[in-house]
Amino acid sequence: MIAYAVSDTWALVGRHMRHIARIPEKLLSITLMPVAYVVIFGCLFGTAIAVPGGDYREYLMAGIFTQTMLSNISNTALGVADDLGNGLVDRFRSLPMSQPAVLVGRTVSALVLSALSCTVMAVVGFAIGWRVHHGVGPALAAFGLLLLLGFAMAWLGALIGLLVRGPEAISAVAFVIVMPLTFLSNAFIPLGGLPAWLRTVCEWNPISAVIAACRELFGNPTALTGTALPSRHPVPMSVALTLVVIVVVAPLATRAYRTAVAR
Amino acid sequence: MDIAIQAEGLRKRYGDHEALRGVDITVPAGEVLGVLGPNGAGKTTTVRILATLLEADSGRASVAGFDVTKQPRQVRGRIGLTGQYAAVDERLTGRENLRLIGTLYRLGRKAAKARADALLERFELTEAADRPVKTYSGGMRRRLDLAASLIGEPAVLFLDEPTTGLDLTSRLALWEMIREQVGNGVTVLLTTQYLEEADQLADRIAVIDGGQVIADGTPDELKGKVGGERLQVTVGSRAQLPEVVRVLAGVSAGSPTVDEAACGVSIPLLDGISAIAGAASALESLGVEVTDFGVSRPSLDDVFLALTGRSAAPVRTP
Ligand SMILES: Nc1ncnc2c1ncn2[C@@H]1O[C@H](COP(=O)(O)OP(=O)(O)OP(=O)(O)O)[C@@H](O)[C@H]1O
Ligand SMILES: [Mg+2]
């Protein structure tokens, strides 16, 4: 059973990798866009804001990494909705294959692409002066955490794609989700200056927790002044919050897939 | 396994619209059932339930001897499905599509490759095999889609409007490929809006409307109800009608009907071409002025008119 599920997933990951090779725009969007983010935010705003305990440019990098992970929501949603609309989901569901493999194949492919984006961004970040200060091990742990977040966001995207369908509606829903996740977080600003209630909301945002944990692991300035649990223990709390998202969303998406009707 | 497809009392509701209101279907192994019905009749819904894609609200169905809700995996291992719209990956090539399906069908890598190549050859897609499907014509896509549904050598094949939107040549080619499967002993359930298609391919036809089977029988039985093909003759003057009726009655077993206003007479063509020839020479020797002479085939609309007394939703004719 498991062996079959793995081989089915593998076959579908192969399919998505072929897509990347066939659609140059897609390859650009997962490499060029993150690079643009790093360059624009890092160089333009890198000196605009002062953060306690270090350089704003270093502070920004973890936030920029998570933006790319969030883009998995709309990318995965659009892909899933496309398969549903053109009847491929019907075809897959009429085959004696592992059914969860269809979504797992999608989300694992998103993970591969996220890893590619992270690599490119890290190289460009390094070129403009971003450094990690605690060595390779913690830095790799931080990337692992980012990819875990990317995986969670891909599952969220799969769920949205199955429930929402239309590409315009998907873009709108993804925007409505990504905006608060981004701006109610510590991605671009330290939370110290916010009113207490708003700060608590931001601190419990899983994105903030992941960003804080990455900063800690990279040895970049964290500017953590909060008292909420995720601020005091960013690494374990970020892992826990991200896992909660996966544990809630993946079964919902799998169920939505089982009953999804094309058109 | 004598009965390949059996459905009893299938019901399906979408919101407050009842798409299926108790559909019963039986298809003996090796036979072809044509499910004929207008837009919205419930054809696709029926196929989706039988192919394990959708659960009925009530009723039961078994395919290839397995219950569609309790043993979906066994059913999926024995069916092929060609949906109403070609379900292929546009970005992949034809060959990659078939290999992927073969792998997911668990044929094993090597067998999937060999099967893909054989099907591409059979469906005359070898030349286009390594082009992305995006570049295929509608007919090529349909052929690839049919090939994909045959990867696992299914015992039961579901074809949902397989030729809608195809030109005549592509339609004939596809019919030929479907016949070949039937020749191999595959049981086929085919939905269509075209009486002619059902007539060409099916052993039995079930006419479905408003989520119910309203008639079923062999094509000849059904055509008998509608009247089958008719020869229509229009003459120049009303005075000649009685004589025309008399000679036409002599060439066919059926009795002529007369449309006085249009100066027309029509007779059922029970024995095909010989009656046409007979009528032509009889009219010739009679010396009447014939302004129109032609054969009309019953359309789905005629079947409907005959079966329900009302007109079906507008349909395109093949
Ligand atoms: N997912 C759905 N949600 C709501 N209503 C649906 C859904 N699918 C089908 N229906 C409705 O159920 C009825 C039967 O639809 P179905 O697709 O089975 O018809 P069909 O005979 O295949 O028609 P067509 O010739 O247009 O393909 C239609 O009235 C349709 O509008
Ligand atoms: Mg249909």
Side-chain angles (χ1 to χ4, degrees):
Chain A
M1 268 313 273
I2 295 288
Y4 277 135
V6 170
S7 76
D8 290 350
T9 302
W10 184 243
L12 289 165
V13 170
R15 168 185 173 227
H16 299 305
M17 293 305 126
R18 284 214 169 84
H19 283 181
I20 299 302
R22 298 275 149 80
I23 316 172
E25 313 88 91
K26 221 165 174 175
L27 192 62
L28 283 185
S29 84
I30 56 168
T31 52
L32 212 58
M33 283 232 312
V35 168
Y37 258 131
V38 174
V39 172
I40 292 168
F41 280 94
C43 294
L44 291 186
F45 307 136
T47 52
I49 299 176
V51 286
D55 176 24
Y56 184 60
R57 189 176 291 175
E58 292 214 327
Y59 179 82
L60 263 180
M61 274 305 284
I64 297 171
F65 278 124
T66 58
Q67 292 312 294
T68 306
M69 301 303 120
L70 286 175
S71 70
N72 279 353
I73 297 180
S74 61
N75 289 344
T76 309
L78 290 170
V80 168
D82 195 35
D83 281 357
L84 197 59
N86 64 26
L88 270 174
V89 165
D90 277 0
R91 164 122 285 146
F92 292 145
R93 282 169 57 202
S94 75
L95 293 176
M97 59 181 287
S98 156
Q99 292 305 313
V102 175
L103 294 185
V104 177
R106 267 271 165 217
T107 49
V108 169
S109 306
L111 206 56
V112 174
L113 302 183
S114 293
L116 184 62
S117 299
C118 278
T119 310
V120 175
M121 291 168 80
V123 169
V124 175
F126 187 83
I128 65 165
W130 168 68
R131 293 290 180 274
V132 300
H133 303 283
H134 294 339
V136 174
L140 287 179
F143 283 117
L145 185 53
L146 284 167
L147 293 180
L148 189 68
L149 176 70
F151 192 55
M153 294 303 107
W155 276 105
L156 184 58
L159 179 63
I160 291 169
L162 289 166
L163 297 180
V164 179
R165 314 286 172 80
E168 288 87 10
I170 285 175
S171 302
V173 170
F175 182 81
V176 165
I177 291 175
V178 170
M179 277 302 124
L181 283 178
T182 302
F183 289 107
L184 295 178
S185 84
N186 56 5
F188 301 112
I189 46 154
L191 300 179
L194 297 178
W197 67 271
L198 188 57
R199 192 169 66 204
T200 310
V201 170
C202 295
E203 281 177 284
W204 279 97
N205 178 349
I207 307 300
S208 299
V210 170
I211 293 172
C214 287
R215 286 175 182 148
E216 194 169 289
L217 291 164
F218 287 143
N220 294 150
T222 56
L224 285 176
T225 52
T227 51
L229 207 52
S231 295
R232 281 186 283 127
H233 308 286
V235 175
M237 281 309 290
S238 61
V239 174
L241 287 173
T242 312
L243 285 178
V244 166
V245 174
I246 294 175
V247 166
V248 171
V249 172
L252 285 178
T254 309
R255 216 180 70 185
Y257 174 81
R258 269 210 309 274
T259 54
V261 179
R263 284 171 297 275
Chain B
M1 186 184 69
D2 305 319
I3 302 294
I5 305 173
Q6 176 125 51
E8 282 167 30
L10 294 181
R11 286 177 171 272
K12 182 72 193 177
R13 173 183 282 281
Y14 292 110
D16 56 6
H17 175 75
E18 264 200 305
L20 297 187
R21 297 185 294 167
V23 168
D24 302 306
I25 280 175
T26 306
V27 189
E31 279 202 3
V32 181
L33 175 74
V35 175
L36 186 66
N39 290 131
K43 302 184 296 293
T44 298
T45 306
T46 305
V47 167
R48 293 176 62 86
I49 290 172
L50 294 174
T52 77
L53 300 184
L54 188 67
E55 256 188 65
D57 297 335
S58 67
R60 51 167 298 283
S62 63
V63 171
F66 295 96
D67 190 288
V68 293
T69 41
K70 295 188 194 106
Q71 300 159 299
R73 186 179 288 269
Q74 281 87 338
V75 172
R76 288 174 188 153
R78 287 164 180 80
I79 62 168
L81 170 67
T82 296
Q84 190 166 351
Y85 305 93
V88 282
D89 189 328
E90 302 253 297
R91 310 282 186 178
L92 300 186
T93 67
R95 196 188 305 277
E96 286 167 344
N97 263 288
L98 293 185
R99 281 184 186 172
L100 175 66
I101 305 291
T103 310
L104 295 175
Y105 220 103
R106 295 178 182 155
L107 296 182
R109 220 178 179 63
K110 236 174 112 187
K113 260 186 176 169
R115 184 89 180 118
D117 292 346
L119 283 167
L120 287 167
E121 181 77 45
R122 174 60 199 99
F123 284 79
E124 287 156 25
L125 290 167
T126 306
E127 242 169 80
D130 297 308
R131 276 193 350 230
V133 172
K134 210 170 45 190
T135 65
Y136 285 20
S137 71
M140 291 163 79
R141 264 168 221 240
R142 272 275 157 207
R143 291 202 313 263
L144 182 66
D145 203 36
L146 183 57
S149 66
L150 295 175
I151 287 270
E153 306 196 316
V156 178
L157 193 55
F158 294 102
L159 304 171
D160 194 4
E161 301 196 23
T163 66
T164 299
L166 294 189
D167 65 21
L168 188 63
T169 322
S170 309
R171 171 169 297 145
L172 292 177
L174 214 69
W175 282 358
E176 209 35 58
M177 289 159 185
I178 294 169
R179 282 201 191 97
E180 188 178 306
Q181 294 308 311
V182 178
N184 295 341
V186 175
T187 307
V188 177
L189 187 151
L190 155 105
T191 79
T192 180
Q193 300 190 21
Y194 310 135
L195 183 62
E196 190 197 353
E197 181 160 286
D199 191 12
Q200 285 283 330
L201 296 172
D203 298 307
R204 294 186 72 83
I205 296 177
V207 181
I208 181 169
D209 182 38
Q212 274 178 317
V213 176
I214 57 170
D216 94 283
T218 64
D220 283 343
E221 285 168 1
L222 269 182
K223 275 200 254 167
K225 285 191 193 176
V226 194
E229 296 179 337
R230 299 185 74 88
L231 177 65
Q232 308 265 12
V233 178
T234 310
V235 291
S237 96
R238 201 158 297 162
Q240 298 172 318
L241 278 178
E243 262 190 295
V244 172
V245 169
R246 188 178 49 79
V247 298
L248 288 184
V251 299
S252 165
S255 53
T257 47
V258 182
D259 182 347
E260 292 245 2
C263 279
V265 182
S266 81
I267 51 165
L269 277 179
L270 299 179
D271 34 41
I273 191 122
S274 69
I276 301 177
S281 62
L283 290 170
E284 171 89 41
S285 60
L286 203 60
V288 295
E289 183 203 347
V290 175
T291 56
D292 197 23
F293 183 92
V295 176
S296 74
R297 291 206 170 80
S299 64
L300 177 58
D301 224 25
D302 299 327
V303 178
F304 259 80
L305 219 51
L307 290 171
T308 66
R310 64 182 172 77
S311 190
V315 287
R316 299 144 283 173
T317 39

